[in-house]
Amino acid sequence: MNASEAVQPVVHAWQGLINAYRAWMPAVTSRTPVVTLHEGNTPLIRATHLSGLTGCEVWLKVEGANPTGSFKDRGMTVAVSKAVEAGTEMLVCASTGNTSASAAAFGARAGVRTVVLVPKGAVALGKLAQTVQYGAEVVELTGTFDDCLRVARELAAEHPVALVNSATNDHRLAGQQTVAFEIVDVLGDAPDLHCLPVGNAGNITALWRGYTAYEKAGRASRRPRIWGFQAAGAAPLVLGRTVEAPQTVASAIRIGNPASRDGALAARDESGGQISAVSDEQILAACRLLARHEGVFVEPASAVGVAGLLAEHAAGRVPAAQRIVITVTGNGLKDPQASIPEGYHSLETSTATSDVARALHLTS
Ligand code: F0G
């Protein structure tokens, strides 16, 4: 191969979700400037260990492979493209961390000022690092995510800023629904069951919208049952009431008053599904299982769908031989502190190879 052959562009390379699924986003027109980081097209991988455990065919949709490490990029490409089209000079969002990182990245790409409102001291380190490095202004509020969302809504009502939370911005949902399209495009039809974590409930709302749109258009013959899971200490949709002081190790879904409650309940009821709770112990165990047995490193909130499926299976409520997709929503590097068990220490030895071998019990 000579040098000129080596630089031939690959014309069919993936160019992001708007390029791939524009037909399903009527708000995006030829006048919309596309702001993209080539998000989407994430791996859908067969989970052999989970399949063996449950007697089902389990697949993982690995959303941590998105450019900023979570599914949030799917909606953000559409929301920021439309905000730029509208001449917006400032993006605002409330966030537990991943929406911040994504808004900050797309804001940087678009050259637009980005402000994120986050609960003080409650955002995982990796997410904060991303948000700061992308150049967003971080405002920490002494309160919960729910307080941040209220303030963000009030700011947007009174000032010329674009609010890019999915609860208030339908473009986010238009982008996030593409996860269902990708799954059907790969599997050839919708699965029997789809499991995912639920926090502010935008993602479950968008997922259901995506499956519904594909079924209506004849791209899928059916829609899956949707099983959403919340952390037990932050489970307003399970309890049927707001949780004033939500608590869970899964900081991404530490939310007591989900803005898209109605969308979540519609997805549950129309699909014949359920929304239930899992404990922090079950969440952390699912994180470990995913890393050690599937080779997939996720942050705690991202393992909630796996924890839920395992809990339901243990209770005898998962019929055999189902085809199941689980969204694992964000990368483990987001929250490194949650992944190192208390008291963990590595082996330490001198630089003598014999010492290393002894430490590894290769010799005595
Ligand atoms: N998983 C991760 C990794 C998340 O960051 C979130 C939400 C969810 C699941 C739940 O999705 O809110 O649409 O039900 N994170 C938001 C944020 C709240 O600000 O980053 P949801």
Side-chain angles (χ1 to χ4, degrees), residues 71-72 95-99 197-203 252-253 255 299 301-302 329:
F71 71 93
K72 302 290 181 180
S95 180
T96 55
N98 281 322
T99 301
V198 179
N200 209 31
N203 205 29
I253 54 169
I255 294 173
E299 66 162 297
S302 307
T329 44

Side-chain angles (χ1 to χ4, degrees), residues 197-199 228-232 234-238 253 255 258 275-279 283 304:
V198 179
F229 296 97
Q230 302 203 286
L237 296 175
V238 181
I253 54 169
I255 294 173
I275 298 177
S276 12
V278 287
S279 68
I283 293 170
V304 165

Side-chain angles (χ1 to χ4, degrees), residues 68-192:
T68 76
S70 85
F71 71 93
K72 302 290 181 180
D73 297 341
R74 290 184 182 276
M76 209 55 78
T77 181
V78 185
V80 174
S81 297
K82 289 299 292 181
V84 170
E85 182 182 351
T88 287
E89 284 172 13
M90 184 169 142
L91 307 175
V92 174
C93 70
S95 180
T96 55
N98 281 322
T99 301
S100 307
S102 188
F106 284 85
R109 195 137 178 96
V112 176
R113 181 180 179 197
T114 304
V115 171
V116 307
L117 308 181
V118 298
K120 187 172 163 59
V123 172
L125 190 61
K127 305 174 191 180
L128 197 58
Q130 292 178 285
T131 306
V132 171
Q133 188 76 327
Y134 288 130
E137 293 157 69
V138 179
V139 184
E140 287 194 301
L141 305 188
T142 314
T144 62
F145 165 85
D146 306 289
D147 295 314
C148 295
L149 185 56
R150 175 183 51 77
V151 174
R153 284 182 199 258
E154 287 168 6
L155 271 183
E158 292 162 20
H159 303 277
V161 299
L163 188 56
V164 293
N165 281 103
S166 57
T168 56
N169 189 318
D170 202 57
H171 303 309
R172 287 278 310 283
L173 298 185
Q176 281 185 28
Q177 70 176 334
T178 59
V179 72
F181 302 164
E182 289 181 11
I183 290 163
V184 174
D185 287 346
V186 169
L187 296 180
D189 206 342
D192 298 305

Side-chain angles (χ1 to χ4, degrees), residues 347-364:
L347 297 174
E348 282 183 42
T349 81
S350 78
T351 56
T353 306
S354 56
D355 278 350
V356 178
R358 202 169 301 116
L360 294 173
H361 305 294
L362 295 171
T363 58
S364 53

Side-chain angles (χ1 to χ4, degrees), residues 43-47 58-62 294-296:
L44 180 65
I45 63 174
R46 180 76 184 260
V58 182
W59 298 80
L60 300 173
K61 185 64 171 160
V62 184
E294 305 289 1
V296 176

